[in-house]
Amino acid sequence: MMDEAVNPNNKMSTLTKTVATIGSSLIPVINKLHDILASSGTELSDISVPQVAVVGSQSSGKSSVLEALVGRDFLPRGCDICTRRPLVLMLENRSPNSDDDRIEWGEFRHLPGRRFYDFSQIRREIEAETEREAGCNKGVSENQIRLKISSPNVLNMTLIDLPGITKVPVGDQPSDIEARIRRMIMAHINNENCIILAVSPANSDLATSDALQIAKLADPTGSRTVGVITKLDIMDRGTNACNFLLGKVVPLKLGYVGVVNRCQEDINKNRSIQEALAYEEQFFHDHPVYNSVSNHCGIPQLAKKLNQILEQHIRKDLPHLKAVLNSRMHAAMKELQTYGDVVESKAEQGAALLHILRRYCDDFSAMVDGKSPDMSTKELFGGARIHYLFQSMFVKLLEEVDPCEKLTDEDIVYALRNSSGLRNVLFVPEVPFEVLVRRQIAQLSDPCHQCLWIVYDELIKICLACESTGLKRFPSLRRHINDVVRKFLDAAAKPAETMIRNLIEMEMDYINSSHPSFIGGNKAVELAVQQMRSSKERADAEKVPISDKGQFSQTAAPRSVLNGVSNQGNHPQSNNGRPVLTVAENMMLFLLHLEKKT
């Protein structure tokens, strides 16, 4: 026994010699596929690859089982939660006759090209990477750590060490730590291509095992769950786990394997895994019950069983996986062909760039001029949309502007009085009229600026709609062109705003009172006098008895026209029958009213 303990890797080396061909061709390919899918991010995350996930409660012996399968100490150990991030462990069986003098090494995916020959450094790197992502105070994270171990003493397989199920939060762990860890575990084992390695300690009731309970949720039939019973050597004397190993208590189609791990005292005393494997073999050999079920006991049996199950699962799923990968590859090749030939020389790159820019300009002009071959038949777009904005929306905005908005009689009264200064005036001055009109003309500024930015947005949409083949091929060039066009439109919007402001100021600086439609001067006085007389005649008519109204209406009718200007032909009627007066007429009437009082 001591000879076996002194000779390192004795048992696992013998096992790998006998079953080295199992999975030697398939599992390494799957491991490479794992690396490719992990580096692709979320793009290929929906492709599931066969793997083995290790689940169990905290301190159930998961880490000890994994270290025994590798034959090296490399995982963080302790009384508290140690596995705080999923660890994807890819084991690669490599021939000992390799050119590499050091036959065992590990490599992390986040440190490509750097090999760790000292497995204690692997443990420190796992701890550092865990603390970097999950903090230093017992926090957990869903981000994986990917570790590849190449050794002639392991069998080809991929294992995922998941955080142990805990009940009470400690440190920085949130109050719902148990629910979070369960969701993390379920996210891995719900995959139909995942073999579940449910680890349960023998010194607790297997019927209440957290590992078997959560495995049953993802695998109700037990067709892809392997049970592992640890700590068989510390069961109460007179008891054994033979019925559990034979599946008589909680049956599983893939069966159970019992193992004996190192205890914490063995770890503190630096007892090697090889010595632990020798002790395990001697324990099962000498035990009167476990000796009869030797095919269900020991780490070597577990490694062989997992390798065979994983290989069979890969062979079963390989046709579907191959079909999915071929489909994705054909789609990628088809997309690659749309990008055109490879451009290598500087001259070819320059010519391709000029062609892309010319094509972009042609597409932009075609959309503005309405000559695009891909024009929409469902909605207005491009130049037609801009024309609609000017002819319909902008005109509507102008029509919605009320020229007399916020202009009250008090405004006119105070403007007239303020313009007279210390003296009374006999005629309506022009200064208050221009002041009030300028204020109303300023209302046209907002609709004009609003139209400007609506057109700006439409030009941006046209810019984004120009998707030529060259731009699809070069997304960085596409983003750069979008930035340049946006800056160009931003620069063009500033002089457009200045021009709109100048046009409004021009209209405000010169009030065109010579326009034929403008009511002012003598015409305004005549209309005001006519309105006053009409109002007075209506008031007098209301005072005349009913018998005299017919005669009064005949004599009053000729007076309704003064100097050839018809009252009812020039003024719209309000709801009460009275004519609606313009601002100028109100101003004139108010002035005549003031003169009458003075």
Side-chain angles (χ1 to χ4, degrees):
M1 180 60 61
M2 292 302 298
D3 293 339
E4 291 182 356
V6 173
N7 185 10
N9 304 327
N10 183 47
K11 285 297 298 177
M12 294 299 294
S13 299
T14 304
L15 177 65
T16 53
K17 289 179 182 179
T18 57
V19 295
T21 58
I22 299 179
S24 59
S25 59
L26 290 179
I27 298 180
V29 176
I30 296 299
N31 289 345
K32 293 180 181 179
L33 187 57
H34 272 289
D35 285 337
I36 295 173
L37 296 179
S39 62
S40 65
T42 59
E43 185 176 357
L44 300 176
S45 59
D46 58 330
I47 299 179
S48 60
V49 181
Q51 57 193 6
V52 178
V54 184
V55 299
S57 59
Q58 185 175 318
S59 301
S60 61
K62 297 188 288 76
S63 298
S64 297
V65 171
L66 291 176
E67 286 183 336
L69 289 173
V70 176
R72 289 297 193 112
D73 291 314
F74 67 98
L75 293 176
R77 302 292 294 273
C79 299
D80 297 327
I81 181 172
C82 299
T83 304
R84 298 189 286 133
R85 291 178 59 182
L87 175 65
V88 180
L89 182 62
M90 292 175 289
L91 304 182
E92 178 188 55
N93 179 266
R94 189 167 47 86
S95 171
N97 298 325
S98 174
D99 296 334
D100 195 346
D101 295 335
R102 299 168 135 177
I103 60 176
E104 290 183 310
W105 48 266
E107 181 179 1
F108 289 94
R109 177 147 194 88
H110 63 273
L111 297 174
R114 180 182 174 184
R115 294 183 176 180
F116 291 80
Y117 297 97
D118 186 355
F119 280 75
S120 62
Q121 292 184 359
I122 294 179
R123 179 189 300 109
R124 289 192 290 269
E125 181 61 27
I126 293 175
E127 294 174 347
E129 186 65 13
T130 299
E131 292 178 355
R132 184 188 66 81
E133 183 68 26
C136 303
N137 199 12
K138 311 304 179 185
V140 296
S141 172
E142 297 181 359
N143 295 332
Q144 296 178 345
I145 299 176
R146 305 186 67 84
L147 172 63
K148 176 182 178 181
I149 293 181
S150 179
S151 170
N153 302 318
V154 298
L155 295 179
N156 291 307
M157 69 181 72
T158 300
L159 303 166
I160 301 179
D161 185 17
L162 297 171
I165 302 173
T166 184
K167 302 291 184 180
V168 181
V170 295
D172 289 338
Q173 295 176 352
S175 58
D176 60 340
I177 182 64
E178 181 182 3
R180 291 192 179 189
I181 292 179
R182 285 181 178 273
R183 284 196 299 267
M184 186 191 308
I185 294 175
M186 292 299 294
H188 286 82
I189 65 177
N190 273 333
N191 180 8
E192 292 296 330
N193 283 329
C194 179
I195 304 299
I196 305 172
L197 193 66
V199 180
S200 304
N203 57 350
S204 63
D205 189 359
L206 194 65
T208 61
S209 168
D210 291 331
L212 292 177
Q213 181 186 28
I214 197 170
K216 190 172 183 61
L217 294 176
D219 180 29
T221 62
S223 59
R224 51 187 181 91
T225 302
V226 179
V228 177
I229 303 177
T230 61
K231 305 180 181 181
L232 292 174
D233 56 331
I234 62 174
M235 294 184 67
D236 292 339
R237 293 185 179 181
T239 63
N240 60 74
C242 186
N243 290 333
F244 295 118
L245 293 177
L246 296 177
K248 295 181 179 180
V249 179
V250 182
L252 294 175
K253 292 183 179 180
L254 298 181
Y256 291 84
V257 176
V259 297
V260 175
N261 298 328
R262 293 182 299 169
C263 62
Q264 189 62 40
E265 182 182 0
D266 294 336
I267 298 172
N268 295 336
K269 292 181 178 181
N270 294 324
R271 185 183 182 187
S272 67
I273 293 180
Q274 287 70 37
E275 292 176 341
L277 290 175
Y279 170 78
E280 178 191 56
E281 183 184 15
Q282 188 66 36
F283 173 81
F284 288 129
H285 182 270
D286 296 340
H287 198 281
V289 176
Y290 297 138
N291 186 26
S292 60
V293 289
S294 58
N295 59 331
H296 293 278
C297 301
I299 289 293
Q301 290 295 331
L302 176 61
K304 179 180 178 181
K305 188 180 190 69
L306 284 178
N307 181 269
Q308 292 175 341
I309 292 174
L310 186 60
E311 182 201 16
Q312 293 172 2
H313 198 76
I314 292 174
R315 292 185 184 276
K316 179 181 177 181
D317 188 65
L318 191 60
H320 173 71
L321 182 61
K322 183 178 180 181
V324 172
L325 293 176
N326 286 335
S327 176
R328 294 297 183 90
M329 184 181 66
H330 290 325
M333 294 298 296
K334 186 177 181 180
E335 181 181 359
L336 185 62
Q337 291 176 358
T338 61
Y339 295 149
D341 299 331
V342 178
V343 180
E344 297 181 354
S345 65
K346 294 292 184 180
E348 292 178 347
Q349 293 176 3
L353 179 60
L354 290 176
H355 176 73
I356 293 172
L357 295 178
R358 185 176 67 252
R359 180 73 178 273
Y360 178 85
C361 295
D362 293 341
D363 292 346
F364 194 97
S365 300
M367 290 185 181
V368 174
D369 297 336
K371 299 179 181 179
S372 175
D374 300 327
M375 67 175 58
S376 175
T377 60
K378 303 296 183 181
E379 60 180 357
L380 292 178
F381 188 76
R385 175 68 177 171
I386 296 176
H387 181 268
Y388 168 77
L389 293 176
F390 278 115
Q391 297 297 324
S392 298
M393 295 186 64
F394 181 55
V395 173
K396 184 179 180 180
L397 291 175
L398 293 180
E399 290 177 348
E400 290 176 353
V401 176
D402 185 2
C404 297
E405 184 180 2
K406 298 180 181 179
L407 183 62
T408 62
D409 292 342
E410 291 183 356
D411 296 334
I412 300 174
V413 170
Y414 285 117
L416 290 172
R417 288 183 177 179
N418 289 333
S419 64
S420 64
L422 296 174
R423 297 169 295 179
N424 293 328
V425 293
L426 298 177
F427 302 99
V428 179
E430 295 182 1
V431 175
F433 174 74
E434 292 181 355
V435 171
L436 295 174
V437 171
R438 287 194 187 98
R439 193 179 70 177
Q440 301 308 110
I441 292 177
Q443 297 183 28
L444 299 175
S445 177
D446 289 341
C448 294
H449 284 88
Q450 186 176 355
C451 179
L452 166 65
W453 292 111
I454 292 176
V455 174
Y456 172 87
D457 293 337
E458 290 301 322
L459 292 174
I460 293 295
K461 291 180 181 179
I462 295 175
C463 165
L464 299 177
C466 294
E467 289 286 355
S468 62
T469 303
L471 290 179
K472 293 180 180 179
R473 184 180 182 185
F474 303 106
S476 298
L477 177 62
R478 180 72 171 105
R479 291 191 296 268
H480 187 66
I481 290 178
N482 289 341
D483 293 339
V484 171
V485 174
R486 188 180 292 273
K487 291 179 181 179
F488 175 79
L489 293 177
D490 290 340
K494 294 180 180 179
E497 285 186 304
T498 303
M499 184 188 70
I500 292 174
R501 186 169 56 253
N502 292 338
L503 290 174
I504 299 297
E505 291 177 354
M506 288 169 57
E507 296 294 335
M508 294 170 60
D509 288 341
Y510 179 72
I511 308 302
N512 184 15
S513 59
S514 301
H515 195 276
S517 301
F518 182 77
I519 302 176
N522 295 332
K523 189 175 181 181
V525 175
E526 293 174 358
L527 292 175
V529 173
Q530 177 187 356
Q531 181 63 32
M532 292 180 63
R533 289 179 178 177
S534 300
S535 300
K536 184 177 180 181
E537 290 174 356
R538 285 195 299 270
D540 295 340
E542 292 177 356
K543 297 178 182 180
V544 176
I546 299 176
S547 60
D548 297 336
K549 282 188 177 182
Q551 182 180 359
F552 177 79
S553 62
Q554 294 178 359
T555 58
R559 297 181 183 179
S560 63
V561 178
L562 179 61
N563 294 333
V565 180
S566 175
N567 177 33
Q568 301 189 6
N570 290 277
H571 297 274
Q573 299 295 321
S574 62
N575 294 333
N576 56 9
R578 296 182 180 180
V580 179
L581 304 182
T582 63
V583 176
E585 293 171 348
N586 283 321
M587 294 172 64
M588 184 59 67
L589 289 173
F590 179 75
L591 181 61
L592 293 176
H593 180 66
L594 290 178
E595 290 178 351
K596 185 181 295 185
K597 284 187 176 182
T598 56

